[in-house]
Amino acid sequence: MIVVHHLNNSRSQRILWLLEELGLDYEIKKYQRDPKTMLAPPELKAVHPLGKSPVISDDGLVVAESGAIVEYLTGRYGNGRLVPAVGTPERLRYTYFLHFAEGSAMSPLLMKLVFDKVENGPMPFFAKPIARAIARKVKDSFVLPNIRSQLDFLEAELGKSTWFAGEEFSAADIQMSFALEAAASRGGLGSQYPKLSAFLQRIHARPAYARALERGGKYDYA
Ligand SMILES: N[C@@H](CCC(=O)N[C@@H](CS)C(=O)NCC(=O)O)C(=O)O
């Protein structure tokens, strides 16, 4: 039996959604973030040494890292579903976006989260102006321009085809969903990204997405 070690409000929501799209049986073991630090509880380290989510176990195997889990599940149980055929241009786009989601898209979004905390979080009064100035500088000179250029790029990509890998919905769209949901909730996509907003509306309307939400519990990004 596939067991998803699922952290609330996290990337593992994508794995529940993938399992629903594939129509597979699975169990969920739920973990709650520490409300102050937002970190995963230490029990998750018993499943995988890094203690991050998602991580799945199946048949005596433990698989961590969203992209690796997507490859494992589609490869073992997909029978060709949600993955474009090898050797096609769609497959190359699929591979690109499967990696882009965690390899590129999430880094500036995570930096924004961290530097927003530095800018607005509690600290001794004498340190505040310096910390704020540094946070602002990093955000203005690096983080926000990178988020903008990635969103511009992704908006243009969705001008070429309905889904990220082509005309067919694929697991790359599932993998890309978290970064776009995070971008929408951390800064808003705004009217300059109509294709990305439409993408989010389309995925949120999928019955498998709704089933995954129902099983996973609270998820603030949908
Ligand atoms: N690149 C990894 C990222 C894993 C990750 O950072 N997960 C977050 C949840 S979105 C987490 O477990 N955070 C809790 C913590 O760091 O303690 C993946 O895609 O699986």
Side-chain angles (χ1 to χ4, degrees):
M1 173 62 80
I2 300 165
V3 178
V4 183
H5 298 271
H6 175 64
L7 184 67
N8 63 311
N9 273 333
S10 83
R11 289 157 164 94
S12 56
Q13 190 63 41
R14 281 187 297 209
I15 303 305
L16 306 184
W17 177 24
L18 173 64
L19 287 160
E20 291 291 340
E21 291 281 355
L22 291 173
L24 299 174
D25 280 340
Y26 63 98
E27 281 172 12
I28 306 180
K29 190 159 178 342
K30 291 187 177 170
Y31 301 79
Q32 293 298 316
R33 291 179 186 270
D34 180 305
K36 262 202 186 129
T37 63
M38 298 311 282
L39 294 176
E43 304 92 79
L44 208 41
K45 288 208 167 99
V47 186
H48 185 278
L50 294 180
K52 305 273 179 196
S53 182
V55 55
I56 64 163
S57 46
D58 182 31
D59 222 358
L61 293 169
V62 172
V63 189
E65 194 64 48
S66 315
I69 297 171
V70 169
E71 292 210 53
Y72 170 79
L73 291 173
T74 52
R76 180 154 185 191
Y77 299 108
N79 294 319
R81 288 172 300 160
L82 300 183
V83 182
V86 177
T88 59
E90 286 80 7
R91 178 57 170 261
L92 193 56
R93 287 178 64 84
Y94 171 86
T95 305
Y96 176 78
F97 284 110
L98 198 65
H99 290 274
F100 180 88
E102 287 297 321
S104 292
M106 284 310 295
S107 314
L109 289 168
L110 185 62
M111 286 183 78
K112 178 168 186 317
L113 192 70
V114 171
F115 281 100
D116 280 349
K117 279 200 175 138
V118 173
E119 195 175 358
N120 304 314
M123 72 183 67
F125 74 93
F126 53 84
K128 241 179 201 172
I130 300 166
R132 279 192 177 154
I134 293 172
R136 214 44 273 164
K137 178 98 187 138
V138 177
K139 277 166 57 177
D140 287 346
S141 63
F142 182 77
V143 178
L144 297 176
N146 269 288
I147 292 177
R148 259 194 304 276
S149 75
Q150 288 193 348
L151 292 177
D152 290 349
F153 163 68
L154 293 171
E155 177 75 13
E157 288 301 295
L158 282 187
K160 295 178 186 166
S161 56
T162 310
W163 298 103
F164 279 108
E167 287 313 310
E168 301 288 325
F169 175 77
S170 78
D173 298 301
I174 297 178
Q175 179 73 346
M176 283 297 295
S177 63
F178 186 76
L180 291 173
E181 288 174 336
S185 83
R186 275 168 212 176
L189 284 177
S191 56
Q192 73 270 43
Y193 299 116
K195 293 203 158 52
L196 297 180
S197 301
F199 171 86
L200 288 179
Q201 277 172 13
R202 276 201 313 279
I203 64 169
H204 292 161
R206 291 180 76 86
Y209 188 99
R211 287 197 300 275
L213 269 191
E214 210 169 284
R215 286 203 59 182
K218 189 167 154 52
Y219 180 66
D220 291 337
Y221 297 101

Short mmCIF file of all heavy atoms in Angstrom, two decimals, residues 7-12 14-15 33-34 37-41 44-45 50-55 64-69 101-103 106 110 175 178 186 221, ligand 1:
data_model
loop_
_atom_site.label_atom_id
_atom_site.label_comp_id
_atom_site.label_asym_id
_atom_site.label_seq_id
_atom_site.Cartn_x
_atom_site.Cartn_y
_atom_site.Cartn_z
N LEU A 7 2.26 16.57 5.17
CA LEU A 7 2.34 17.71 6.08
C LEU A 7 1.27 18.71 5.65
O LEU A 7 1.10 18.97 4.46
CB LEU A 7 3.74 18.34 5.94
CG LEU A 7 4.09 19.50 6.87
CD1 LEU A 7 4.18 19.04 8.33
CD2 LEU A 7 5.45 20.11 6.44
N ASN A 8 0.57 19.29 6.65
CA ASN A 8 -0.49 20.24 6.30
C ASN A 8 0.10 21.45 5.54
O ASN A 8 1.24 21.84 5.77
CB ASN A 8 -1.24 20.73 7.56
CG ASN A 8 -0.36 21.49 8.53
OD1 ASN A 8 0.71 21.04 8.88
ND2 ASN A 8 -0.80 22.66 8.94
N ASN A 9 -0.69 22.02 4.66
CA ASN A 9 -0.26 23.20 3.87
C ASN A 9 1.10 23.01 3.23
O ASN A 9 1.99 23.84 3.41
CB ASN A 9 -0.18 24.42 4.78
CG ASN A 9 -1.52 25.10 4.88
OD1 ASN A 9 -2.34 25.00 3.97
ND2 ASN A 9 -1.76 25.77 6.00
N SER A 10 1.27 21.96 2.47
CA SER A 10 2.60 21.73 1.93
C SER A 10 2.55 21.13 0.53
O SER A 10 1.49 20.78 0.01
CB SER A 10 3.40 20.80 2.83
OG SER A 10 3.06 19.45 2.55
N ARG A 11 3.75 20.97 -0.01
CA ARG A 11 3.92 20.38 -1.33
C ARG A 11 3.35 18.98 -1.45
O ARG A 11 3.14 18.50 -2.55
CB ARG A 11 5.41 20.29 -1.65
CG ARG A 11 6.13 21.57 -1.93
CD ARG A 11 7.58 21.28 -1.63
NE ARG A 11 8.52 22.25 -2.16
CZ ARG A 11 8.97 23.29 -1.46
NH1 ARG A 11 8.52 23.52 -0.25
NH2 ARG A 11 9.88 24.08 -2.00
N SER A 12 3.15 18.30 -0.35
CA SER A 12 2.66 16.92 -0.47
C SER A 12 1.22 16.89 -0.96
O SER A 12 0.74 15.85 -1.38
CB SER A 12 2.84 16.14 0.83
OG SER A 12 2.23 16.80 1.90
N ARG A 14 0.35 18.02 -3.65
CA ARG A 14 0.52 17.63 -5.07
C ARG A 14 0.50 16.12 -5.25
O ARG A 14 0.02 15.61 -6.25
CB ARG A 14 1.90 18.11 -5.57
CG ARG A 14 2.01 19.51 -5.93
CD ARG A 14 3.34 19.80 -6.57
NE ARG A 14 4.48 19.57 -5.71
CZ ARG A 14 5.63 20.23 -5.79
NH1 ARG A 14 5.79 21.15 -6.71
NH2 ARG A 14 6.62 19.95 -4.99
N ILE A 15 1.10 15.42 -4.28
CA ILE A 15 1.21 13.96 -4.42
C ILE A 15 -0.16 13.31 -4.23
O ILE A 15 -0.53 12.38 -4.95
CB ILE A 15 2.25 13.40 -3.43
CG1 ILE A 15 3.62 14.07 -3.65
CG2 ILE A 15 2.37 11.89 -3.55
CD1 ILE A 15 4.16 13.98 -5.09
N ARG A 33 2.42 21.06 11.04
CA ARG A 33 3.53 22.00 11.23
C ARG A 33 3.47 22.60 12.64
O ARG A 33 2.37 22.82 13.16
CB ARG A 33 3.42 23.16 10.23
CG ARG A 33 3.68 22.79 8.79
CD ARG A 33 3.50 24.04 7.95
NE ARG A 33 3.60 23.78 6.52
CZ ARG A 33 4.74 23.83 5.83
NH1 ARG A 33 5.88 24.10 6.43
NH2 ARG A 33 4.74 23.62 4.53
N ASP A 34 4.64 22.93 13.17
CA ASP A 34 4.68 23.70 14.42
C ASP A 34 4.10 25.08 14.10
O ASP A 34 4.57 25.76 13.17
CB ASP A 34 6.15 23.83 14.87
CG ASP A 34 6.28 24.62 16.14
OD1 ASP A 34 5.80 25.78 16.20
OD2 ASP A 34 6.90 24.09 17.08
N THR A 37 7.05 27.92 14.31
CA THR A 37 8.19 27.87 13.37
C THR A 37 7.76 27.45 11.97
O THR A 37 8.51 27.64 11.01
CB THR A 37 9.23 26.84 13.86
OG1 THR A 37 8.61 25.54 13.85
CG2 THR A 37 9.71 27.15 15.27
N MET A 38 6.59 26.84 11.86
CA MET A 38 6.08 26.29 10.60
C MET A 38 6.89 25.07 10.12
O MET A 38 6.70 24.59 9.02
CB MET A 38 6.03 27.35 9.47
CG MET A 38 5.10 28.52 9.75
SD MET A 38 3.47 27.99 10.28
CE MET A 38 2.77 27.51 8.72
N LEU A 39 7.79 24.59 10.97
CA LEU A 39 8.59 23.42 10.59
C LEU A 39 7.78 22.13 10.80
O LEU A 39 6.80 22.11 11.55
CB LEU A 39 9.88 23.36 11.39
CG LEU A 39 10.87 24.50 11.12
CD1 LEU A 39 12.07 24.41 12.05
CD2 LEU A 39 11.32 24.51 9.65
N ALA A 40 8.24 21.07 10.13
CA ALA A 40 7.59 19.77 10.28
C ALA A 40 7.94 19.20 11.66
O ALA A 40 9.01 19.52 12.20
CB ALA A 40 8.07 18.84 9.18
N PRO A 41 7.07 18.34 12.20
CA PRO A 41 7.39 17.74 13.51
C PRO A 41 8.53 16.72 13.36
O PRO A 41 8.72 16.15 12.28
CB PRO A 41 6.09 17.05 13.90
CG PRO A 41 5.42 16.74 12.61
CD PRO A 41 5.80 17.85 11.66
N LEU A 44 8.67 13.09 11.47
CA LEU A 44 8.88 12.90 10.04
C LEU A 44 10.31 12.45 9.74
O LEU A 44 10.57 11.81 8.73
CB LEU A 44 8.53 14.20 9.31
CG LEU A 44 8.04 14.15 7.86
CD1 LEU A 44 7.06 13.04 7.58
CD2 LEU A 44 7.41 15.49 7.49
N LYS A 45 11.22 12.76 10.66
CA LYS A 45 12.62 12.34 10.47
C LYS A 45 12.78 10.83 10.63
O LYS A 45 13.76 10.26 10.18
CB LYS A 45 13.54 13.06 11.47
CG LYS A 45 13.74 14.52 11.16
CD LYS A 45 15.09 15.01 11.67
CE LYS A 45 15.43 16.37 11.08
NZ LYS A 45 15.16 17.49 11.93
N LEU A 50 15.77 13.80 6.38
CA LEU A 50 15.61 15.25 6.25
C LEU A 50 14.31 15.74 6.88
O LEU A 50 14.15 16.95 7.12
CB LEU A 50 15.69 15.67 4.78
CG LEU A 50 17.06 15.46 4.11
CD1 LEU A 50 17.03 15.93 2.67
CD2 LEU A 50 18.17 16.19 4.87
N GLY A 51 13.38 14.83 7.10
CA GLY A 51 12.14 15.21 7.78
C GLY A 51 11.30 16.21 7.02
O GLY A 51 10.61 17.04 7.61
N LYS A 52 11.34 16.15 5.70
CA LYS A 52 10.53 17.07 4.87
C LYS A 52 9.39 16.30 4.24
O LYS A 52 9.44 15.08 4.10
CB LYS A 52 11.38 17.66 3.73
CG LYS A 52 12.65 18.34 4.18
CD LYS A 52 12.41 19.78 4.51
CE LYS A 52 13.70 20.43 4.98
NZ LYS A 52 13.49 21.69 5.65
N SER A 53 8.41 17.01 3.79
CA SER A 53 7.28 16.40 3.11
C SER A 53 7.19 16.99 1.70
O SER A 53 7.45 18.19 1.55
CB SER A 53 6.01 16.70 3.91
OG SER A 53 4.90 16.11 3.34
N PRO A 54 6.87 16.25 0.67
CA PRO A 54 6.34 14.89 0.73
C PRO A 54 7.42 13.83 0.85
O PRO A 54 8.55 14.02 0.41
CB PRO A 54 5.64 14.73 -0.62
CG PRO A 54 6.42 15.60 -1.55
CD PRO A 54 6.85 16.76 -0.72
N VAL A 55 6.98 12.72 1.45
CA VAL A 55 7.76 11.49 1.37
C VAL A 55 6.71 10.37 1.35
O VAL A 55 5.66 10.50 1.98
CB VAL A 55 8.78 11.38 2.54
CG1 VAL A 55 8.12 11.52 3.87
CG2 VAL A 55 9.57 10.10 2.49
N ALA A 64 11.52 10.14 -1.32
CA ALA A 64 11.36 11.55 -0.95
C ALA A 64 11.62 12.40 -2.18
O ALA A 64 12.06 11.90 -3.21
CB ALA A 64 12.34 11.90 0.16
N GLU A 65 11.31 13.70 -2.07
CA GLU A 65 11.52 14.71 -3.12
C GLU A 65 10.39 14.58 -4.15
O GLU A 65 10.28 13.58 -4.86
CB GLU A 65 12.91 14.55 -3.76
CG GLU A 65 13.36 15.71 -4.62
CD GLU A 65 13.54 17.02 -3.83
OE1 GLU A 65 14.16 17.03 -2.76
OE2 GLU A 65 13.03 18.03 -4.32
N SER A 66 9.58 15.65 -4.23
CA SER A 66 8.37 15.61 -5.08
C SER A 66 8.62 15.07 -6.49
O SER A 66 7.87 14.22 -6.96
CB SER A 66 7.76 17.00 -5.24
OG SER A 66 7.70 17.68 -4.05
N GLY A 67 9.65 15.61 -7.15
CA GLY A 67 9.89 15.20 -8.54
C GLY A 67 10.19 13.71 -8.64
O GLY A 67 9.71 13.01 -9.55
N ALA A 68 10.97 13.20 -7.68
CA ALA A 68 11.31 11.77 -7.68
C ALA A 68 10.06 10.94 -7.40
O ALA A 68 9.86 9.87 -8.00
CB ALA A 68 12.39 11.50 -6.64
N ILE A 69 9.19 11.46 -6.53
CA ILE A 69 7.95 10.73 -6.21
C ILE A 69 7.04 10.69 -7.44
O ILE A 69 6.46 9.66 -7.77
CB ILE A 69 7.23 11.38 -5.00
CG1 ILE A 69 8.11 11.28 -3.75
CG2 ILE A 69 5.88 10.74 -4.77
CD1 ILE A 69 7.61 12.08 -2.55
N ALA A 101 10.13 23.24 -11.60
CA ALA A 101 9.26 23.57 -10.46
C ALA A 101 10.06 23.68 -9.16
O ALA A 101 9.97 24.67 -8.44
CB ALA A 101 8.16 22.51 -10.33
N GLU A 102 10.86 22.67 -8.86
CA GLU A 102 11.64 22.72 -7.61
C GLU A 102 13.03 23.29 -7.84
O GLU A 102 13.58 23.95 -6.95
CB GLU A 102 11.74 21.31 -6.99
CG GLU A 102 10.46 20.81 -6.37
CD GLU A 102 9.97 21.65 -5.19
OE1 GLU A 102 10.79 22.09 -4.37
OE2 GLU A 102 8.75 21.87 -5.09
N GLY A 103 13.59 23.06 -9.03
CA GLY A 103 14.97 23.49 -9.28
C GLY A 103 15.12 24.99 -9.45
O GLY A 103 16.16 25.56 -9.13
N MET A 106 10.90 27.51 -7.14
CA MET A 106 10.68 27.66 -5.70
C MET A 106 11.74 28.52 -4.99
O MET A 106 11.47 29.09 -3.94
CB MET A 106 10.61 26.29 -5.01
CG MET A 106 9.29 25.55 -5.23
SD MET A 106 7.80 26.51 -4.89
CE MET A 106 7.93 26.81 -3.12
N LEU A 110 10.86 31.02 -1.97
CA LEU A 110 11.28 30.70 -0.60
C LEU A 110 12.07 31.87 -0.01
O LEU A 110 11.89 32.25 1.15
CB LEU A 110 12.13 29.43 -0.62
CG LEU A 110 12.55 28.88 0.74
CD1 LEU A 110 11.32 28.49 1.56
CD2 LEU A 110 13.46 27.66 0.57
N GLN A 175 3.21 19.10 -10.84
CA GLN A 175 4.45 19.52 -10.19
C GLN A 175 4.59 21.05 -10.18
O GLN A 175 5.08 21.62 -9.22
CB GLN A 175 5.64 18.84 -10.91
CG GLN A 175 7.01 19.17 -10.38
CD GLN A 175 7.33 18.52 -9.03
OE1 GLN A 175 6.45 18.02 -8.33
NE2 GLN A 175 8.58 18.58 -8.65
N PHE A 178 2.33 23.90 -7.24
CA PHE A 178 2.62 24.47 -5.93
C PHE A 178 3.31 25.83 -6.05
O PHE A 178 2.99 26.77 -5.34
CB PHE A 178 3.45 23.51 -5.07
CG PHE A 178 3.64 23.99 -3.66
CD1 PHE A 178 2.61 23.92 -2.74
CD2 PHE A 178 4.84 24.56 -3.26
CE1 PHE A 178 2.76 24.38 -1.43
CE2 PHE A 178 5.01 25.03 -1.95
CZ PHE A 178 3.97 24.94 -1.05
N ARG A 186 1.55 34.52 -2.20
CA ARG A 186 2.58 35.37 -1.57
C ARG A 186 2.66 36.76 -2.17
O ARG A 186 3.26 37.64 -1.62
CB ARG A 186 3.94 34.70 -1.68
CG ARG A 186 4.15 33.73 -0.55
CD ARG A 186 5.32 32.83 -0.73
NE ARG A 186 5.02 31.54 -0.10
CZ ARG A 186 5.81 30.49 -0.15
NH1 ARG A 186 6.95 30.55 -0.80
NH2 ARG A 186 5.46 29.36 0.43
N TYR A 221 -3.49 27.19 -0.01
CA TYR A 221 -3.06 27.73 -1.31
C TYR A 221 -4.09 27.55 -2.42
O TYR A 221 -3.87 28.01 -3.53
CB TYR A 221 -1.75 27.07 -1.74
CG TYR A 221 -0.60 27.34 -0.79
CD1 TYR A 221 -0.19 26.41 0.15
CD2 TYR A 221 0.08 28.56 -0.83
CE1 TYR A 221 0.85 26.66 1.01
CE2 TYR A 221 1.13 28.83 0.02
CZ TYR A 221 1.51 27.88 0.95
OH TYR A 221 2.55 28.14 1.80
N1 LIG B 1 12.27 20.02 -2.89
C1 LIG B 1 11.57 19.29 -1.85
C2 LIG B 1 11.13 20.28 -0.79
C3 LIG B 1 10.56 19.62 0.44
C4 LIG B 1 10.12 20.66 1.46
O1 LIG B 1 10.87 21.62 1.75
N2 LIG B 1 8.95 20.50 2.02
C5 LIG B 1 8.43 21.43 2.99
C6 LIG B 1 6.92 21.49 2.87
S1 LIG B 1 6.33 22.44 1.54
C7 LIG B 1 8.68 20.96 4.40
O2 LIG B 1 8.70 19.78 4.66
N3 LIG B 1 8.81 21.92 5.32
C8 LIG B 1 8.90 21.65 6.73
C9 LIG B 1 10.28 21.77 7.28
O3 LIG B 1 11.19 22.23 6.56
O4 LIG B 1 10.46 21.42 8.44
C10 LIG B 1 10.39 18.56 -2.49
O5 LIG B 1 9.87 19.03 -3.49
O6 LIG B 1 10.01 17.48 -2.00
#
